[in-house]
């Protein structure tokens, strides 16, 4: 389902552009347009060249901006960028100026090769910008795009330091800023960037566009949580040097952590607000905070998708012939509790009665999927260990090979790997790494055991979680396989 109806109300792309008109009026775009048998014109969203041409054509048509996007760089999604700019407009409505457009100056962190936010902000509102980036190649293209649109006097391009996100830039500029905006790298390493969609819920459609950023644009040590945490720490030092601090967040679980960090400092942060950037099949989040008591961010209009209604429970009638327990609620409860402990899913007993038992589950990781893959990995591991010749290594592997439960073994391996990664995290402190692991649950649900007549029914009811409703069906099938 498209999220376009939840776009910012002033976003011109709530109504998608007409590709037929674009093809008729822009010959370069016409090369990528295809007309189907019904007469509808479309482009291949998995072709990065077509995406690049669509973005440059829309920037020229709708904003009179001439922008060159290098082939090896991320193609900015225009509806998303426009959502962010419009939200900044709303935030600035809480700040009073005698001559608004001439005085407003923003700071764009990680402006990228297109310099998209400063170009849009100046064209739409007359804002001035300081735009920074740590990548030399991106700065070359950003400066060129500024020159091509004659905005040198309004937009200052500056190289940022690896040791500071905003502090050194503000100190060098020797001025105060009305707002700061940032689209941080989402991922902590190549592995996370390349496997980012593997945990995608099956209820979500596959990505329509093939728009992959380069490593400089997508990856930072510790991921976006560490990056934004450092930004928050620097904002506490700078305080009023920037009236309104904002950043985009790419993952919902990161948003919960960042918001909690700011709420813990409620004595210093005067107000904060969160919004959702909805466009196409993609959602991102924006968070803003200020140290100015006269700026009331919590009163700013925020575009948000309506929350999903509570779902009905899904379940199955437990067969009478069980492998692990007797056919009674208490015995089945003990079996379920053991399974949940093996999966490391915390739970609390909400209701315990003769014919009804309810548990509330909160899973912080998906430990019930890919069981067949884990068993194959263990089998492969056992076969490989036989060829080891080093006595010390062999003795260790033989001890591990005696582990009967594949899940337990894989959890042991995962824990070792997590500890290794934590030690290698250069900029992430131990407390940040620990908090990040507890950021947001992947699944929250009720588990019911009901005795109705002569039957026992096991049900799960979805409450929330970043994996979506599909996770309930996965966990239910896992429990069914274990119990029956």
């Amino acid at each position: 389902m498209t999220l376009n109806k939840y776009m910012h109300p002033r976003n011109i792309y709530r109504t998608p552009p007409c590709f037929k008109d674009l093809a008729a009026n822009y010959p370069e775009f016409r090369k990528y347009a295809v007309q189907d048998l019904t007469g509808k014109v479309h482009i291949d969203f998995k072709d990065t060249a077509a995406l690049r041409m669509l973005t440059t054509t829309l920037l020229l048509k709708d904003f009179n901006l001439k922008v060159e996007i290098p082939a090896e760089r991320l193609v900015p999604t225009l509806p998303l960028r426009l959502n962010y700019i419009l939200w900044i407009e709303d935030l600035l409505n809480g700040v009073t100026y005698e001559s608004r457009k001439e005085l407003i100056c923003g700071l764009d962190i990680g402006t990228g090769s297109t310099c998209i936010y400063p170009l849009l902000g100046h064209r739409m509102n007359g804002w001035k910008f300081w735009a920074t980036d740590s990548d030399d190649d991106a700065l070359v293209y950003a400066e060129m795009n500024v020159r091509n649109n004659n905005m040198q006097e309004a937009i200052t391009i500056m190289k940022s330091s690896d040791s500071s996100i905003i502090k050194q830039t503000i100190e060098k500029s020797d001025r105060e800023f009305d707002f700061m905006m940032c689209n941080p790298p989402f991922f902590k390493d190549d592995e996370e960037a390349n496997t980012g969609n593997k945990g995608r819920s099956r209820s979500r459609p596959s990505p329509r566009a093939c728009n992959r950023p380069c490593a400089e644009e997508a990856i930072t040590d510790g991921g976006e949580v560490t990056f934004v945490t450092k930004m928050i720490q620097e904002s506490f030092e700078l305080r009023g040097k920037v009236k309104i601090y904002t950043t985009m967040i790419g993952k919902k679980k990161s948003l919960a952590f960042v918001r909690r960090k700011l709420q813990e400092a409620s004595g210093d942060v005067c107000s904060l607000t969160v919004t959702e950037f909805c466009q196409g099949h993609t959602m991102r989040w924006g968070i803003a905070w200020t140290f100015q008591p006269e700026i009331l961010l919590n009163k700013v209009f925020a575009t948000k998708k309506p929350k999903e209604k509570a779902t009905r429970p899904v379940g199955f009638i437990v067969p009478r012939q069980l492998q692990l327990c007797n056919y009674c609620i208490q015995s089945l409860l003990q079996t379920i509790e053991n399974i949940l402990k093996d999966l490391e899913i915390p739970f609390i007993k909400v209701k315990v009665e003769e014919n009804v038992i309810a548990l509330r589950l909160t899973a912080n990781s998906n430990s019930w999927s890919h069981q067949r893959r884990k068993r194959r990995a263990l089998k492969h591991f056992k076969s490989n260990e036989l060829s080891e010749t080093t006595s010390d290594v062999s003795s260790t592997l033989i001890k591990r090979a005696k582990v009967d439960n594949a899940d337990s073994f894989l959890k042991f391996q995962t824990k070792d790997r997590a500890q290794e990664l934590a030690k290698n995290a250069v900029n992430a402190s131990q407390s940040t790494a620990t908090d990040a692991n507890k950021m947001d649950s992947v699944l929250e649900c009720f588990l019911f055991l009901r005795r109705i007549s002569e039957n026992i029914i096991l049900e799960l009811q979805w409450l929330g979680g970043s994996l979506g409703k599909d996770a309930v069906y996965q966990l239910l099938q896992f429990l069914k396989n274990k119990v029956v």
Side-chain angles (χ1 to χ4, degrees), residues 171-272:
E171 290 174 348
K172 289 181 181 179
S173 69
D174 193 28
R175 65 161 300 151
E176 295 182 356
F177 291 90
D178 299 294
F179 67 90
M180 181 206 77
M181 59 195 311
C182 178
N183 186 2
F186 292 161
F187 307 110
K188 62 183 179 182
D189 51 35
D190 289 321
E191 182 180 359
E192 186 181 17
N194 293 329
T195 61
N197 285 325
K198 288 189 176 181
R200 192 181 185 94
S201 170
R202 285 183 295 175
S203 62
R204 293 180 61 191
S206 299
R208 295 181 62 204
C210 180
N211 186 17
R212 297 296 300 270
C214 66
E216 291 81 358
E217 296 170 311
I219 297 171
T220 184
D221 288 335
E224 66 177 350
V225 166
T226 300
F227 187 93
V228 176
T229 298
K230 186 176 180 181
M231 185 189 301
I232 292 173
Q233 292 169 348
E234 291 187 19
S235 76
F236 276 90
E237 298 179 42
L238 297 165
R239 303 181 73 83
K241 291 287 187 179
V242 178
K243 289 185 173 67
I244 302 173
Y245 296 86
T246 77
T247 185
M248 186 186 295
I249 301 292
K251 305 175 189 174
K252 189 175 182 180
K253 62 181 181 180
S254 301
L255 175 67
F257 175 77
V258 171
R259 188 171 190 170
R260 187 164 61 249
K261 278 288 183 184
L262 289 168
Q263 289 172 337
E264 288 172 356
S266 57
D268 293 302
V269 175
C270 293
S271 65
L272 65 89

Side-chain angles (χ1 to χ4, degrees), residues 26-37:
Y26 296 90
E28 292 299 316
F29 178 81
R30 192 182 308 146
K31 298 176 183 178
Y32 298 93
V34 178
Q35 189 172 31
D36 59 25
L37 296 177

